[in-house]
Amino acid sequence: MLSMLAKLLKALNSESAPGQIALAFSFALIVALTPMFTLHNAIILLLAFVLRINLSAFFLALAAFSALAWFIDPYSARLGESLLANPALVDTWRDMYQSDFWRITAFNHSLVLGGLLISLLAAVPVFVLSKVLINLYRHRLLAWFNKLKIAQVLKASKFYNLYKSIAE
């Protein structure tokens, strides 16, 4: 866990694009707020491994958002159930379930449908917010933090030595 955190700090302090880390956060949000073994999560995981995103950021954000999902799941299930029970959409869901492809997507489960809808709506704001926060961290907070006495104490710690060994 410390090595993953060190890799995330290395990515935050490096010259890599903030969009790569922000995209990792957005992908992790989508995977975390929906049940794990679904088709869209397999596609997101494939994209995470194919695109140039920071995998340490992805896995740490996945752990954080999974903890958040524990609180959001009841609302996701209610949203999915209301969409599945909506009289105007019943024919659509029935027609989709008749197709093998749509059956594989598991949209007939309330938690999958509600969680995916919430995560897709939240993915763009998470991307934008994390990109802005990464830029603020790099341009303002990092320089200020390095001047503090506690930063100098932390630089003498075992964690910082691990961070430096990974950074090199």
Side-chain angles (χ1 to χ4, degrees), residues 44-100:
I44 294 291
L45 286 173
L46 177 69
L47 286 172
F49 289 121
V50 170
L51 296 176
R52 289 189 55 133
I53 67 167
N54 188 282
L55 291 176
S56 296
F58 175 78
F59 288 118
L60 284 173
L62 181 61
F65 288 134
S66 292
L68 179 69
W70 192 73
F71 296 105
I72 294 177
D73 278 350
Y75 302 108
S76 299
R78 272 192 241 145
L79 175 64
E81 186 177 344
S82 69
L83 287 171
L84 289 171
N86 188 340
L89 297 173
V90 168
D91 291 336
T92 303
W93 302 128
R94 187 190 66 238
D95 293 341
M96 285 174 64
Y97 193 70
Q98 298 301 319
S99 169
D100 290 333

Side-chain angles (χ1 to χ4, degrees), residues 16-151:
S16 64
Q20 294 173 340
I21 302 168
L23 188 60
F25 289 156
S26 295
F27 281 173
L29 175 76
I30 295 170
V31 173
L33 293 185
T34 58
M36 188 57 164
F37 300 108
T38 55
L39 180 64
H40 64 274
N41 278 350
I43 293 170
I44 294 291
L45 286 173
L46 177 69
L47 286 172
F49 289 121
V50 170
L51 296 176
R52 289 189 55 133
I53 67 167
N54 188 282
L55 291 176
S56 296
F58 175 78
F59 288 118
L60 284 173
L62 181 61
F65 288 134
S66 292
L68 179 69
W70 192 73
F71 296 105
I72 294 177
D73 278 350
Y75 302 108
S76 299
R78 272 192 241 145
L79 175 64
E81 186 177 344
S82 69
L83 287 171
L84 289 171
N86 188 340
L89 297 173
V90 168
D91 291 336
T92 303
W93 302 128
R94 187 190 66 238
D95 293 341
M96 285 174 64
Y97 193 70
Q98 298 301 319
S99 169
D100 290 333
F101 172 76
W102 291 109
R103 200 173 310 145
I104 292 172
T105 62
F107 288 154
N108 61 321
H109 297 287
S110 59
L111 186 59
V112 173
L113 185 61
L116 184 62
L117 183 62
I118 289 173
S119 65
L120 288 176
L121 290 174
V124 173
V126 164
F127 177 80
V128 172
L129 181 65
S130 60
K131 192 172 179 182
V132 166
L133 289 175
I134 290 166
N135 283 327
L136 282 174
Y137 168 79
R138 285 183 178 175
H139 293 94
R140 293 189 183 162
L141 188 65
L142 189 60
W144 173 78
F145 184 74
N146 284 333
K147 294 177 186 177
L148 294 177
K149 293 281 186 192
I150 191 141

